[in-house]
């Protein structure tokens, strides 16, 4: 059997447990081999837990996507302005390569998020506090106030990055919870089906009510 998506698995599980409880012939006969009403209600509770975990996983995945989108949107907005400022500063300091290197204005931008933000923070901190840099770039309208605004944007990016990481962790945890609950019910269901095949070996119509495929 190929991979069955979770909504379909849950649908089949609901058929199995609900008809196992509600069909009187099935319920009475299966009760004689241990699947009493109490045992069936307990199994139904396990399935309900799996369904609730599945819904919770959808919620966590949605929150993770929202956090990632918010981070990406903020970074794109910041990055566009950052590159524009870099171009101006490189023009202003083209005769001062050592200073450009000191303030992280030369070379490529780092690939990792943490290093990228560290470069940007050093760059804007230098504009906000170094009078030599300020004197060179002020003609382009890059003032300490502009740098301070960009530094605040960097702090916001740090916050959004941390939030996205938290949401990712929550989403991964909820996947494990969902899978554990599903596996728990499926272990029960597999055993129940084996017993049902024996109890209704000559009455395939009852197996079909349980969603058990009967070979003709």
């Amino acid at each position: 059997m190929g991979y069955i998506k979770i909504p379909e698995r849950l649908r089949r599980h609901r058929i199995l447990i609900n008809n196992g409880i509600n069909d009187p012939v099935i319920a009475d006969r299966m009760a004689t081999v241990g699947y009493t009403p109490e045992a069936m209600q307990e199994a139904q509770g396990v399935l309900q837990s799996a369904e609730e975990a599945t819904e919770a996983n959808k919620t966590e995945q949605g929150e993770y996507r929202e956090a990632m989108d918010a981070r990406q949107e903020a970074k794109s907005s910041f990055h566009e302005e950052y590159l524009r400022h870099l171009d101006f500063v490189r023009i202003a300091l083209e005769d001062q390569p050592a200073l450009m290197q000191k303030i992280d204005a030369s070379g490529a931008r780092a690939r990792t998020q943490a290093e990228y933000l560290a470069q940007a923070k050093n760059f804007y901190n230098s504009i906000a506090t170094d009078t030599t840099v300020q004197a060179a770039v002020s003609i382009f309208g890059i003032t300490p106030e502009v740098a301070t605004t960009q530094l605040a944007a960097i702090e916001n990016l740090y916050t959004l990055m941390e939030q996205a990481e938290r949401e990712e962790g929550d989403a991964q945890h909820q996947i494990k919870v969902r899978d554990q609950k599903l596996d728990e019910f499926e272990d029960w269901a597999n055993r129940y089906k084996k017993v049902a095949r024996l109890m209704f070996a000559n009455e395939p119509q009852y197996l079909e009510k349980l969603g058990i495929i009967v070979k003709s």
Side-chain angles (χ1 to χ4, degrees), residues 134-152:
Q134 290 170 8
V137 304
S138 61
I139 189 174
F140 297 117
I142 306 175
T143 63
E145 290 75 21
V146 169
T148 299
T149 298
Q150 288 293 89
L151 286 168

Side-chain angles (χ1 to χ4, degrees), residues 3-4 39 65 73 77 86 101 110 115 166 176 190 195:
Y3 174 75
I4 302 174
R65 285 192 295 270
E73 183 178 349
S77 177
L86 272 171
Q101 185 173 6
E115 290 176 330
R166 284 196 303 272
K176 291 181 180 179
N190 288 336
V195 174

